[in-house]
């Protein structure tokens, strides 16, 4: 079973409550949840959060959310806690603040896991010096 886990911390350093901010008529977490739910390769989608307000919001649109420890340093730790509680063969960490993620991107990661990869992540080529120097943009090195 492949489960998509969306870590959604309420107390973001730069934008507290970001996952509950609205884009049009929906919260960011709802946009992410709906896009993840459109993936063909995921058997289940859940939210892992440290805040009851996020659980309440997810339940208003029919999603599943679980409270996790508030002491986690990052979303990966939050996902790991929940993955240990669920009966899963693979876990896909889907960023809770990425409302425009394409379902086929998540399906690509799922396919790699089904083919035997132990870990997989998406990347895209950096095309500007500004992005290269931005500490808020994650970098992936793919060669020497």
């Amino acid at each position: 079973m492949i489960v998509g886990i969306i870590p959604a911390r309420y107390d973001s350093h730069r934008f507290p409550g970001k996952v509950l901010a609205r884009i049009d008529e929906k919260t960011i977490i709802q946009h992410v949840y709906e896009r993840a739910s459109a993936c063909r390769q995921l058997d289940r989608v859940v939210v892992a959060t440290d805040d009851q307000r996020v659980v309440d919001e997810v339940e208003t649109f029919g999603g599943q959310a679980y409270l996790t420890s508030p002491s986690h340093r990052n979303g990966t730790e939050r996902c790991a806690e929940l993955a240990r509680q669920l009966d899963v063969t693979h876990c896909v960490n889907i960023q809770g603040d990425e409302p425009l993620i394409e379902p086929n991107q998540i399906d690509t990661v799922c396919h790699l896991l089904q083919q035997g990869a132990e870990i997989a992540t998406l990347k895209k080529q950096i095309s500007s010096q500004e992005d290269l120097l931005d500490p808020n943009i994650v970098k992936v090195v793919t060669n020497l």
Side-chain angles (χ1 to χ4, degrees), residues 20 49 51-63 65 67:
L20 298 183
T49 185
D51 195 285
Q52 186 63 45
R53 290 170 285 195
V54 177
V55 172
D56 294 342
E57 169 59 22
V58 171
E59 290 176 350
T60 65
F61 59 79
L67 280 174

Side-chain angles (χ1 to χ4, degrees), residues 46-100:
V46 297
V47 173
T49 185
D50 60 348
D51 195 285
Q52 186 63 45
R53 290 170 285 195
V54 177
V55 172
D56 294 342
E57 169 59 22
V58 171
E59 290 176 350
T60 65
F61 59 79
Q64 285 187 305
Y66 296 85
L67 280 174
T68 57
S69 172
S71 65
H72 292 309
R73 294 172 293 165
N74 54 51
T76 301
E77 289 181 1
R78 196 169 307 290
C79 287
E81 177 189 336
L82 187 53
R84 284 190 294 272
Q85 296 174 30
L86 303 173
D87 182 25
V88 303
T89 55
H90 296 91
C91 164
V92 178
N93 178 343
I94 303 164
Q95 298 304 298
D97 62 353
E98 205 170 348
L100 301 179

